[in-house]
């Protein structure tokens, strides 16, 4: 159960339904906002090849900036503000967990927020996100659903 009987607030679980842009556009923006809050992040994928892709992409996605990060298998990765991984661990003591490619949340203790990003044009990802929504809600976590609109993200539930 989510932080039952503890002084710490339960991790908020936010579902982001991608419709207008892909993950490569949406994830860096959300990671920037996370760092602006003074939080650290873990980005968990179910696919090692996605981690390899993001490792290069987050250095170059925008000419005027980059996001400091490392894959979890690099030396000193635990000191990074953004950690890329396929594992269930939180070695950088991140405040935010980003789940992509259908990665499972696992234990959410220690996180303030878990963000599930899924492609609204992929039936498999939609089914998995619906299953994850039901599972985290049943575990007692506060959940929100955000849908990509023409004017930005809009909270739907």
């Amino acid at each position: 159960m989510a932080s039952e009987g503890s002084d710490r607030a339960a991790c908020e679980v936010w579902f982001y339904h991608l419709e207008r842009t892909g993950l490569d556009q949406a994830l860096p923006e959300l990671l920037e906002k996370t760092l602006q809050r003074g939080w650290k992040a873990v980005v968990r994928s179910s696919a090692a090849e996605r981690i390899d892709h993001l490792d290069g992409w987050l250095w170059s996605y925008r000419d005027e900036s980059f996001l400091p990060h490392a894959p979890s298998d690099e030396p000193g990765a635990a000191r990074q503000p953004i950690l890329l991984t396929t594992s269930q661990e939180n070695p950088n003591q991140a405040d935010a967990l980003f789940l992509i490619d259908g990665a499972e949340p696992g234990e959410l203790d220690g996180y303030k927020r878990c963000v599930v990003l899924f492609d609204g044009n992929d039936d498999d990802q939609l089914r998995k996100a619906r299953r994850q929504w039901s599972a985290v809600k049943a575990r007692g976590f506060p959940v929100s659903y955000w849908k990509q609109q023409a004017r930005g993200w809009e909270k739907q539930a």
Side-chain angles (χ1 to χ4, degrees):
M1 187 64 67
S3 300
E4 201 170 88
S6 113
D7 295 339
R8 197 163 31 109
C11 176
E12 297 175 318
V13 183
W14 291 7
F15 286 78
Y16 276 75
H17 187 153
L18 299 171
E19 285 192 335
R20 298 187 169 272
T21 61
L23 183 70
D24 279 356
Q25 291 74 39
L27 182 61
E29 291 175 12
L30 294 170
L31 289 171
E32 284 176 345
K33 289 179 182 181
T34 300
L35 294 182
Q36 287 169 1
R37 291 183 79 118
W39 289 3
K40 292 181 182 178
V42 166
V43 177
R44 182 182 303 150
S45 175
S46 60
E49 57 274 5
R50 174 75 81 176
I51 298 302
D52 292 341
H53 166 75
L54 287 174
D55 185 27
W57 178 244
L58 295 179
W59 291 118
S60 62
Y61 74 98
R62 190 179 321 149
D63 288 342
E64 68 276 5
S65 68
F66 68 93
L67 287 163
H69 69 279
S72 61
D73 60 356
E74 285 190 7
R79 294 190 308 267
Q80 294 294 326
I82 299 171
L83 192 67
L84 309 175
T85 189
T86 57
S87 82
Q88 294 280 326
E89 298 165 4
N90 183 5
N92 67 341
Q93 301 304 302
D95 305 283
L97 171 63
F98 289 83
L99 300 175
I100 59 175
D101 305 318
E104 291 295 332
E107 288 303 316
L108 295 175
D109 291 340
Y111 293 108
K112 294 176 182 171
R113 184 165 302 144
C114 174
V115 178
V116 180
L117 292 126
F118 61 97
D119 183 345
N121 299 309
D122 182 318
D123 289 339
D124 288 338
Q125 285 193 29
L126 281 171
R127 276 192 294 279
K128 184 146 209 162
R130 286 181 184 127
R131 186 188 54 73
Q132 288 176 323
W133 170 280
S134 296
V136 294
K137 195 166 173 94
R139 289 170 57 192
F141 290 98
V143 295
S144 300
Y145 170 70
W146 299 79
K147 193 168 184 180
Q148 208 170 22
Q149 305 290 336
R151 61 190 173 279
W153 292 101
E154 190 173 292
K155 189 173 181 180
Q156 303 285 307

